[in-house]
């Protein structure tokens, strides 16, 4: 087997071998076409949203700033994984450097934490806008927005720094073959000849804490929003603007939690299914987020159409 031909000393000159989707090697070409298509749509969709927000002065509200943050995070997330996946699927370029692997790991898992933080901030934005509309501009002023952005970034770094330290300080003296299409930390840590359980436990506890707290606060925010919508007719129209946010949250949290807990606890699930689910979790929401917001948010939709058609006229 390939895993018997490689030796991974704990040094920056060693490499890992990413196998792609184990068990579906015969379909790698078709998987590459699928993920490449999604990647192009993600780049174009999020790029156009960022361009629209940057060029349209009417899109300067806190919600649009959060949407811009979400687009940037989505672009970083997919760009850190999909190009390497495509090189595996199409070019059989399976080798990745030791440092490159852990940089990818850091980017993937930090951006997932950041995205959860942005979704929480967006829920808070909707709560203030609907339940306390007169205080909206006072509460979510420029200084508060900067503080929220730094808090989202800082929390992700604080979560990932210990995990990165633990995983990089393991001794990799077994196989170099990672049964995954990117450097997922559990798959990489299992290759260590030492005890990898502390890093796995930290990852599980940290992920559960971050996601659990965010989901709890989001649920409380929407509970108050629904209560306000029921009690005040004036809030019902504003509540309709929350639909796209709810869709994005469901699209992000449900596949993410299923993927995390399947990899941690359910070994009966086939390896190809675990890897494919993890790949879909990183790529599908990032592709659909700009589509959902463009379709359901009138201001974004109009700004995107304005950008697209103005470019055609100038061309």
């Amino acid at each position: 087997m390939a895993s018997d031909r490689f030796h991974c000393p704990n040094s920056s000159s060693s490499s890992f071998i990413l196998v792609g989707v184990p068990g579906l090697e015969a379909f790698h070409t078709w998987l590459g076409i699928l993920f490449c298509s999604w990647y192009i749509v993600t780049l174009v969709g999020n790029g156009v949203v960022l361009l629209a927000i940057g060029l349209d002065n009417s899109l300067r509200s806190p919600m649009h700033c959060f949407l811009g943050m979400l687009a940037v995070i989505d672009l970083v997330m997919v760009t850190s994984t999909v190009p390497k996946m495509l090189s595996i699927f199409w070019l059989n370029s399976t080798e990745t450097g030791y440092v490159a692997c852990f940089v990818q790991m850091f980017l993937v898992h930090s951006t997932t934490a950041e995205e959860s933080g942005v979704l929480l901030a967006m829920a808070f934005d909707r709560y203030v806008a609907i339940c306390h509309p007169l205080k909206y501009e006072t509460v979510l002023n420029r200084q508060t927005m900067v503080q929220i952005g730094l808090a989202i970034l800082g929390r992700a770094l604080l979560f990932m720094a210990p995990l990165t330290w633990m995983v990089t300080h393991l001794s990799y003296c077994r196989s170099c073959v990672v049964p995954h299409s990117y450097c997922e930390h559990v798959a990489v840590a299992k290759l260590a000849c030492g005890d990898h359980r502390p890093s796995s436990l930290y990852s599980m506890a940290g992920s559960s804490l971050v996601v659990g707290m965010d989901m709890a606060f989001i649920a409380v925010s929407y509970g108050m929003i629904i209560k306000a919508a029921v009690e005040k007719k004036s809030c019902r129209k504003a509540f309709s603007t929350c639909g796209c946010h709810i869709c994005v949250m469901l699209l992000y949290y449900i596949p993410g939690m299923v993927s995390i807990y399947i990899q941690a606890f359910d070994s009966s699930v086939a390896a190809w299914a675990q890897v494919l689910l993890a790949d879909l979790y990183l790529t599908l929401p990032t592709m659909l987020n700009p589509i959902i917001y463009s379709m359901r948010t009138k201001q974004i939709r109009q700004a995107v159409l304005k950008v697209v058609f103005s470019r055609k006229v100038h061309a």
Side-chain angles (χ1 to χ4, degrees):
M1 294 178 62
S3 60
D4 297 328
R5 300 199 303 268
F6 298 97
H7 179 69
C8 290
N10 196 5
S11 69
S12 60
S13 62
S14 61
S15 301
F16 290 109
I17 303 297
L18 296 169
V19 302
V21 183
L24 295 183
E25 289 83 1
F27 300 97
H28 273 183
T29 300
W30 297 106
L31 289 173
I33 294 173
L34 177 66
F35 284 109
C36 182
S37 302
W38 288 355
Y39 184 49
I40 293 172
V41 173
T42 300
L43 292 179
V44 173
N46 286 287
V48 169
V49 167
L50 286 173
L51 190 62
I53 293 174
L55 296 179
D56 194 329
N57 292 327
S58 66
L59 302 180
R60 292 293 183 271
S61 71
M63 174 54 84
H64 296 124
C65 291
F66 291 135
L67 183 57
M69 293 182 194
L70 190 68
V72 171
I73 292 169
D74 284 346
L75 289 174
V76 173
M77 187 185 297
V78 294
T79 302
S80 65
T81 54
V82 175
K84 182 58 183 177
M85 288 167 54
L86 296 180
S87 70
I88 296 170
F89 294 152
W90 287 343
L91 305 175
N92 198 31
S93 177
T94 57
E95 185 175 354
T96 184
Y98 181 89
V99 174
C101 182
F102 289 111
V103 169
Q104 184 189 58
M105 181 189 301
F106 180 86
L107 289 174
V108 168
H109 296 296
S110 60
T111 51
T112 55
E114 289 164 4
E115 181 144 347
S116 183
V118 171
L119 293 178
L120 173 59
M122 294 171 80
F124 177 69
D125 172 274
R126 291 298 83 200
Y127 163 72
V128 177
I130 294 173
C131 298
H132 304 283
L134 299 180
K135 299 180 180 179
Y136 183 74
E137 293 185 1
T138 303
V139 174
L140 289 171
N141 53 42
R142 185 180 296 273
Q143 181 180 356
T144 303
M145 292 296 296
V146 172
Q147 292 173 344
I148 290 174
L150 292 176
I152 291 171
L153 179 61
R155 187 185 68 163
L157 295 177
L158 286 174
F159 167 63
M160 276 306 299
L163 180 61
T164 303
W165 184 88
M166 285 189 285
V167 177
T168 54
H169 281 74
L170 290 171
S171 179
Y172 295 93
C173 54
R174 296 177 182 171
S175 169
C176 280
V177 180
V178 181
H180 217 291
S181 55
Y182 65 90
C183 290
E184 198 275 329
H185 72 277
V186 174
V188 173
K190 286 181 179 179
L191 302 180
C193 51
D195 186 6
H196 68 274
R197 285 177 297 179
S199 63
S200 298
L201 289 174
Y202 173 83
S203 172
M204 177 59 58
S207 299
S208 299
L209 181 63
V210 169
V211 173
M213 287 179 59
D214 288 353
M215 291 180 68
F217 283 121
I218 289 172
V220 170
S221 297
Y222 273 94
M224 293 180 176
I225 290 172
I226 292 172
K227 181 182 177 182
V230 171
E231 294 176 351
K232 301 177 184 179
K233 292 183 179 180
S234 60
C235 295
R236 293 177 185 175
K237 184 177 180 180
F239 178 71
S240 64
T241 63
C242 299
C244 54
H245 185 217
I246 294 173
C247 291
V248 169
M249 285 192 302
L250 294 175
L251 190 63
Y252 174 76
Y253 284 118
I254 292 177
M257 295 303 294
V258 171
S259 176
I260 290 171
Y261 286 107
I262 281 180
Q263 291 190 61
F265 300 115
D266 197 346
S267 59
S268 64
V269 178
W272 67 265
Q274 294 185 31
V275 172
L276 205 55
L277 180 60
D279 292 343
L280 292 175
Y281 164 60
L282 293 181
T283 55
L284 192 58
T286 59
M287 178 189 69
L288 294 179
N289 285 350
I291 297 175
I292 292 172
Y293 278 108
S294 297
M295 292 288 290
R296 294 188 61 89
T297 307
K298 185 177 180 181
Q299 285 180 297
I300 293 291
R301 183 170 63 250
Q302 290 177 340
V304 167
L305 292 175
K306 182 179 178 181
V307 168
V308 172
F309 285 109
S310 66
R311 289 293 178 273
K312 288 184 177 180
V313 170
H314 290 303

